[in-house]
Amino acid sequence: MDAGLTLTTEMMLVLGLVVFTVLMLILEWIRADLVALLVIVVIGITRLMPVEQLFDGFAGNAVISLIAVMIMGAGLDRTGVLGKAASFVIRLAGGVEQRLAVAINTIVGSLSAVIQSQALSSLFLPVVSRVSARTGVPLRRLLLPMACCILCGTNITMIANSPLILLNDLIASANRNLPPGAQSIEPFRLFAIAPVGIPLLIVGVAFFAVLGRRLLPDEEDKQNVTPGRTESYFADTYGIEGDVFELTVTAESPLVGMSVGETEQLHDAPLILALKTGNEARLAPPADQMIWVGSVIGVLGRRDAVADFADNHLCRMQVRLRNFGDMFNPTRAGISEAVIPPTSHWINQKIEDLRIRKRLGISVLAVTRGGEVFREDVRHLTLRPGDMLVLHSLWRDLPPASESRDFLVVTDYPKEEQRPSRIWYATAFFGLALALGLFTDLKLSVAMMTGAVGMLLAGVLSMDEAYKAINWKTIFILACLIPLGWAMDSTGTAAWLAQEVMVHLDGMPQWLIQAALAVLTLLFAQVISNVGAAVMMVPMAINIALASGGNPAAYALIVAISTSNTFFLPSANPVLLVVAGPGGYRNRDFLRVGIPLTLLMLVTTLIAVNLMFGR
């Protein structure tokens, strides 16, 4: 590295962009994907890198690989692979709780090597709920260990973790700006990091096998999600109790001419689940649908409360369901629970503005957030990541409604596997993609896209389903932040930062410098996305390695792995946030588990990487 680098105007511009990006990702004044788009535009306007290369990230190896992995993950889910995994887990465990936890953690940790972590956590939520319901093991003792082991297992290959997918692109950028005489850094092959990832997964599984019950006790289990759909569960957890009754609106009733939304605002109004006017009957009637003479309302509530409401509003109450009997059959409809993931378009939207009943035929009965249950006037509630929704709908309406991934159904409900006949095509093309990535010199993006295209041609997914499977927000953030990493290299900003850091670290042992970088990366990843932390820290780590005489590949790998090995807070990683609501976890639960596990992962990473790159 050049000696005595001075801070230039270009370097100050890049540092300003880095500070701006970090602040915006922490404060969330601007959406993360819009921040990323703004960064790439500023880089282009200020000519911090050639304009003709500015949008190369959208066609980069990392982005194409991630798109292909998302499509293949959806194909495996569509053919019922994960449903079979649930049955396999139960058979493997034989009803023993400790064996059950080890089986789940080992299987999801292994799958996370080849399926993107956030998608896998979303897909396995109902699987683990199903296992919990069948075995009686509390869900809170299964979900958090599962999420942590998913993060541990993502370090086995280069395709399941966004920072690791991005790593080779950052290494290629660093190679273009290496000082004269420096040896170029070899990119990592598909399973090249398995000697690090496998020990991390083993340590994670062992950690929960030994300490799981002690760290996640049975206290407050009543707040946990269980998929049994029993009356006592919903009454205890959400205050939703009673039975379904029919109310026929008479000519004298004050409800005549009122909308469903207005009726719901009335004092002591029961939950309105269905409405029949004339010959048209539907569940989840929209708030603007009108009630007329002869309309039949399907309501949920305690018998005495519903009877009082019927008397006060001059309605005839029917205990037997004559109009909605088929609709409310438990095999056709019922109550389910769903969590709002960090990538949902529903975040920061009011429930009433989403028009969920009108568009999807689904009623939102309650919302729980951080242990607090909202039942009154939920239509005016603004949704946040990790919120748990209590829904009522026809079972057949849930799969198409949840395809957008705006909410993830946690409850195990009656459904058919959609394309079980295509399961062998899905597994064959997925295996082909892995084989091409492992045994040929094809780029990872080409190998993964081969498997994705094969699934599409075999009818595992349609093109429209493939588009829906792609998380475009993640893609945009990744593609737009890649040029920021390139600019840090090309302008010499990363080298200048490394020079300043080495003033304080010079003369220290290699393992101590690596540990300091890993801890700094862990702290960054707590407040910004793991992709953002990788973009900022990998170029600096490579330059610090060059300045200290270390192995640049080892330094880059330690930083990339450290961006995802953060277990302190659910907000630090989408995988943890997805399970926070369904598991009924609080911040203290994450700290109790996360502090020792993060330290254990840090030590294991440093040992495994240095053994792998032993000098």
Side-chain angles (χ1 to χ4, degrees):
M1 186 172 69
D2 296 334
L5 286 174
T6 57
L7 191 62
T8 66
T9 303
E10 284 188 336
M11 291 180 188
M12 287 190 284
L13 278 171
V14 172
L15 287 173
L17 270 179
V18 169
V19 172
F20 169 78
T21 303
V22 171
L23 285 176
M24 289 301 101
L25 292 176
I26 294 173
L27 299 174
E28 296 182 342
W29 289 349
I30 306 175
R31 282 177 45 147
D33 45 355
L34 184 54
V35 171
L37 283 169
L38 182 58
V39 166
I40 199 173
V41 168
V42 172
I43 290 174
I45 291 173
T46 55
R47 304 298 176 98
L48 290 174
M49 62 180 295
V51 177
E52 58 271 14
Q53 299 175 13
L54 190 61
F55 297 102
D56 287 358
F58 284 92
N61 188 62
V63 169
I64 301 301
S65 299
L66 188 55
I67 288 174
V69 169
M70 288 175 175
I71 293 173
M72 288 193 292
L76 292 174
D77 178 44
R78 182 76 58 163
T79 53
V81 171
L82 298 180
K84 294 183 181 298
S87 300
F88 176 71
V89 166
I90 294 174
R91 289 199 307 270
L92 199 65
V96 180
E97 179 181 344
Q98 188 170 18
R99 227 191 302 169
L100 179 67
V102 170
I104 290 175
N105 295 341
T106 303
I107 289 173
V108 297
S110 302
L111 286 173
S112 69
V114 289
I115 299 177
Q116 196 202 17
S117 58
Q118 190 175 339
L120 185 64
S121 64
S122 303
L123 295 172
F124 247 83
L125 258 177
V127 173
V128 176
S129 295
R130 186 183 312 169
V131 171
S132 174
R134 293 181 188 176
T135 61
V137 177
L139 196 57
R140 70 178 292 117
R141 290 216 295 266
L142 297 177
L143 278 186
L144 184 53
M146 177 198 78
C148 293
C149 289
I150 285 176
L151 293 177
C152 295
T154 57
N155 301 299
I156 296 175
T157 69
M158 300 295 293
I159 63 171
N161 185 331
S162 296
L164 288 173
I165 293 174
L166 177 61
L167 181 58
N168 280 339
D169 281 15
L170 294 174
I171 286 175
S173 172
N175 283 336
R176 291 194 293 268
N177 299 284
L178 287 174
Q183 186 177 357
S184 63
I185 308 167
E186 286 294 320
F188 292 95
R189 299 296 299 273
L190 179 61
F191 283 94
I193 61 171
V196 179
I198 292 174
L200 286 174
L201 178 58
I202 292 172
V203 169
V205 172
F207 174 82
F208 286 106
V210 175
L211 300 175
R213 294 202 64 164
R214 196 173 304 168
L215 294 173
L216 294 170
D218 290 334
E219 61 179 358
E220 299 171 0
D221 270 343
K222 65 175 189 268
Q223 296 184 1
N224 294 343
V225 174
T226 58
R229 298 190 300 279
T230 61
E231 291 180 8
S232 60
Y233 166 68
F234 286 102
D236 293 342
T237 306
Y238 300 107
I240 298 172
E241 57 184 337
D243 298 302
V244 178
F245 303 97
E246 292 182 356
L247 302 182
T248 303
V249 180
T250 66
E252 297 79 20
S253 173
L255 301 183
V256 175
M258 293 180 64
S259 67
V260 170
E262 290 169 336
T263 305
E264 289 175 321
Q265 302 299 317
L266 296 174
H267 178 64
D268 291 336
L271 293 168
I272 299 177
L273 302 182
L275 179 65
K276 181 180 180 182
T277 300
N279 293 322
E280 182 183 353
R282 63 166 292 170
L283 284 184
D288 58 3
Q289 188 163 340
M290 305 302 292
I291 298 172
W292 303 112
V293 176
S295 292
V296 182
I297 309 172
V299 300
L300 175 66
R302 296 194 319 272
R303 181 167 183 165
D304 56 344
V306 174
D308 288 343
F309 181 83
D311 289 340
N312 293 334
H313 295 87
L314 304 177
C315 298
R316 293 196 305 272
M317 176 177 166
Q318 291 284 347
V319 176
R320 295 185 61 185
L321 299 182
R322 297 180 178 179
N323 295 276
F324 302 119
D326 191 39
M327 277 189 177
F328 286 107
N329 186 318
T331 63
R332 295 196 63 205
I335 297 176
S336 60
E337 294 152 306
V339 65
I340 301 295
T343 55
S344 173
H345 297 99
W346 291 7
I347 293 171
N348 296 326
Q349 299 283 328
K350 287 186 177 179
I351 291 177
E352 63 179 342
D353 295 335
L354 293 169
R355 306 177 77 186
I356 298 171
R357 291 191 291 195
K358 192 162 193 171
R359 293 188 303 108
L360 306 176
I362 297 173
S363 295
V364 180
L365 307 183
V367 177
T368 180
R369 176 185 297 159
E372 185 177 2
V373 177
F374 300 89
R375 270 203 56 212
E376 300 297 327
D377 209 16
V378 293
R379 295 176 60 242
H380 300 300
L381 192 68
T382 301
L383 294 175
R384 297 179 187 173
D387 280 354
M388 177 70 68
L389 310 183
V390 183
L391 310 174
H392 184 274
S393 68
L394 292 170
W395 300 130
R396 70 173 184 227
D397 289 336
L398 285 178
S402 60
E403 278 186 359
S404 63
R405 302 289 180 189
D406 286 324
F407 66 91
L408 307 170
V409 180
V410 179
T411 303
D412 179 28
Y413 61 94
K415 57 184 180 292
E416 296 179 356
E417 293 177 349
Q418 292 170 297
R419 293 188 189 122
S421 61
R422 300 289 173 180
I423 190 169
W424 296 113
Y425 290 103
T427 52
F429 281 112
F430 190 70
L432 174 64
L434 294 182
L436 290 175
L438 185 59
F439 300 114
T440 72
D441 58 357
L442 285 174
K443 274 193 170 184
L444 194 58
S445 54
V446 178
M448 296 299 105
M449 194 54 75
T450 300
V453 171
M455 287 190 187
L456 292 170
L457 290 174
V460 174
L461 290 173
S462 68
M463 279 302 299
D464 288 337
E465 291 166 343
Y467 286 130
K468 291 177 182 177
I470 299 168
N471 187 329
W472 293 107
K473 181 178 179 180
T474 301
I475 296 300
F476 265 77
I477 292 173
L478 185 64
C480 293
L481 287 184
I482 286 174
L484 183 58
W486 293 345
M488 287 186 68
D489 269 322
S490 61
T491 61
T493 307
W496 180 84
L497 285 171
Q499 172 185 279
E500 298 304 306
V501 170
M502 286 307 298
V503 170
H504 305 285
L505 299 182
D506 193 28
M508 290 186 177
Q510 287 290 316
W511 68 268
L512 195 56
I513 298 175
Q514 292 170 352
L517 274 174
V519 170
L520 184 59
T521 303
L522 287 169
L523 295 176
F524 258 120
Q526 292 299 312
V527 293
I528 63 175
S529 69
N530 54 5
V531 171
V535 165
M536 294 167 196
M537 292 300 299
V538 168
M540 188 171 76
I542 290 173
N543 280 275
I544 288 176
L546 293 171
S548 64
N551 188 322
Y555 274 66
L557 185 57
I558 287 171
V559 165
I561 289 175
S562 297
T563 60
S564 294
N565 281 349
T566 55
F567 310 97
F568 296 134
L569 296 171
S571 57
N573 196 294
V575 175
L576 299 179
L577 192 57
V578 163
V579 303
Y585 301 114
R586 298 182 179 179
N587 284 341
R588 67 170 181 259
D589 296 315
F590 286 96
L591 290 173
R592 190 187 300 121
V593 170
I595 291 174
L597 182 58
T598 299
L599 292 174
L600 199 57
M601 291 294 107
L602 177 59
V603 172
T604 305
T605 300
L606 291 174
I607 294 173
V609 170
N610 281 285
L611 287 175
M612 177 180 170
F613 291 96
R615 298 173 67 91

